[in-house]
Amino acid sequence: ENDEKVGNGEKKYDELRYGIEALGAVLRPVFVTMSLSASLVAWTRPKSHVALVYQEDDDDITVVTKDRVEKGAANALAIVGVILLTTCCVVGLYWCGCTSCLRGYMMFSSATLLGILGGGLFATVLVKAEIHLDVFTLFIIIINWAAVGVAAIYSPFKFGLPRSATRAYLISAAVVLAWHLSTYPPVTTWCALIGLALYDLFAVLAPCGPLNALVQLMATRREPLPGLLYEAQIDTDEYIDETDRISSQADSRQTHGNIDNIEDNIPIQYHHRNSKSNDDSDDLDTNNKRDPVKLGLGDFVFFSVLVANDAKQQGFVPAAAATLACLIGLATTLILLTFSKRALPALPISIALGVTASFFADACLLPMLSLFVHSGLRV
């Protein structure tokens, strides 16, 4: 009995180690994406060139007025409506079994994102850095960049590309999209982020939510959906070996009983089956494997838009506060996921904490730091 308690204690410790590494594997790329997006936006200062329902006046766009809030809410409603319509179309195509059409659409969208939008960002950086490049060379660079990016995201093994290339291109795509979305007026950006957080809450948790329906369809069909998902793969060999060692010790010291069908969520749901029968020995390695932690690229983008908007309008202190708040919110969501039996939205907690931290830093921290500077106090 004591040996069994020791074995269970070591298993829990092993699962805790895995959860901590999984948490770090998710937070690191999110932090890199937010930092790159905020740095590029603060450096290049992109001009607003997007089409909105209501355009805000150019004079002192940082001042929040009732008219701007109403226009920003209308713009945000239009943005959320377009995303809802697109999501419903994706669910409908997946329900009809048109995964090839979805894959083609996603590949075309990724090529457009990396080629056209990425090319615009690259050209802006060249102009800002005063680097001269002819149009033909720029065109060749952008075409190759987009082609390799599509191959790395959707068919990395077919072209012999490493996982690091896939992750690098996913982060690059998120940075490019966040840079372009940062051209929205500030009030529209705040309203859109809050609206998207509420939409994410409805879409994932509501019984009639489109993302909830998509998750249920994928669980029923067990057919992967092509999309922009960042997989934070962890080297689980040491954990698998440790679990096998503990299980072997427990079996060798017990006269009856074995461990079967243990399910855990750290921080995602995975299945761990340990069976000692000869018939199941071939499936041992497959069942011991843990699923990678997956996060939609849209979450990367909207976190980065929040931080980039702060960096462009308020400066470093609100941007740093929003970055820390978003990371804390994402970590909280992943921790809640360990106790939940279903998928959870990643945006609501992080966006709520990020917006709160941003307004708190702008209203309290900046005036306090300014007071310290003018009064000659040292912090």
Side-chain angles (χ1 to χ4, degrees), residues 48 50-57 61 65-84 181 183-196 199 302:
S48 178
V50 293
L52 297 172
V53 178
Y54 294 102
Q55 298 291 339
E56 296 185 13
D57 299 331
I61 60 175
T65 61
K66 180 181 178 181
D67 181 63
R68 282 179 175 167
V69 171
E70 292 176 351
K71 292 181 178 180
N75 292 332
L77 186 62
I79 293 171
V80 173
V82 171
I83 293 178
L84 175 61
L181 292 179
T183 59
Y184 284 178
V187 178
T188 296
T189 301
W190 293 120
C191 293
L193 289 173
I194 295 173
L196 287 169
Y199 163 75
F302 297 128

Side-chain angles (χ1 to χ4, degrees), residues 47-287:
K47 302 296 181 180
S48 178
H49 56 271
V50 293
L52 297 172
V53 178
Y54 294 102
Q55 298 291 339
E56 296 185 13
D57 299 331
D58 294 333
D59 53 332
D60 200 4
I61 60 175
T62 59
V63 177
V64 179
T65 61
K66 180 181 178 181
D67 181 63
R68 282 179 175 167
V69 171
E70 292 176 351
K71 292 181 178 180
N75 292 332
L77 186 62
I79 293 171
V80 173
V82 171
I83 293 178
L84 175 61
L85 180 61
T86 305
T87 306
C88 291
C89 292
V90 171
V91 174
L93 289 174
Y94 185 79
W95 182 76
C96 295
C98 302
T99 54
S100 299
C101 295
L102 283 175
R103 186 176 181 83
Y105 164 74
M106 294 302 300
M107 293 178 68
F108 174 77
S109 300
S110 300
T112 304
L113 172 62
L114 293 172
I116 298 179
L117 300 184
L121 173 58
F122 184 60
T124 303
V125 170
L126 291 179
V127 172
K128 188 70 178 180
E130 297 183 354
I131 299 176
H132 302 284
L133 200 65
D134 61 275
V135 177
F136 179 76
T137 303
L138 179 63
F139 180 77
I140 295 298
I141 291 175
I142 292 175
I143 290 296
N144 282 275
W145 163 260
V148 176
V150 173
I153 293 173
Y154 295 97
S155 301
F157 299 108
K158 181 178 179 181
F159 294 95
L161 298 174
R163 284 187 178 273
S164 58
T166 302
R167 294 167 186 163
Y169 266 103
L170 287 173
I171 291 176
S172 301
V175 170
V176 169
L177 190 54
W179 184 82
H180 279 273
L181 292 179
S182 67
T183 59
Y184 284 178
V187 178
T188 296
T189 301
W190 293 120
C191 293
L193 289 173
I194 295 173
L196 287 169
L198 295 175
Y199 163 75
D200 199 26
L201 200 64
F202 157 76
V204 176
L205 298 182
C208 58
L211 292 180
N212 183 31
L214 185 60
V215 169
Q216 293 179 359
L217 278 175
M218 293 177 63
T220 302
R221 295 189 177 184
R222 298 186 179 277
E223 185 178 1
L225 177 68
L228 297 175
L229 286 175
Y230 186 94
E231 294 187 1
Q233 185 70 45
I234 303 173
D235 186 10
T236 59
D237 291 340
E238 57 175 313
Y239 301 104
I240 294 171
D241 295 340
E242 182 70 14
T243 303
D244 292 341
R245 182 185 66 80
I246 296 170
S247 301
S248 299
Q249 290 177 356
D251 287 342
S252 63
R253 294 170 183 173
Q254 292 180 6
T255 57
H256 62 277
N258 65 343
I259 302 171
D260 189 28
N261 198 21
I262 301 174
E263 295 185 2
D264 295 299
N265 292 319
I266 304 179
I268 58 171
Q269 184 174 7
Y270 66 94
H271 300 275
H272 181 97
R273 182 182 299 271
N274 188 6
S275 178
K276 294 301 178 182
S277 62
N278 293 330
D279 295 338
D280 297 337
S281 60
D282 294 337
D283 298 332
L284 182 60
D285 293 336
T286 302
N287 292 323

Side-chain angles (χ1 to χ4, degrees), residues 14-33:
D14 177 64
E15 301 296 345
L16 180 61
R17 289 172 54 203
Y18 176 79
I20 293 174
E21 290 206 12
L23 185 63
V26 173
L27 295 183
R28 281 192 295 270
V30 173
F31 174 74
V32 170
T33 305

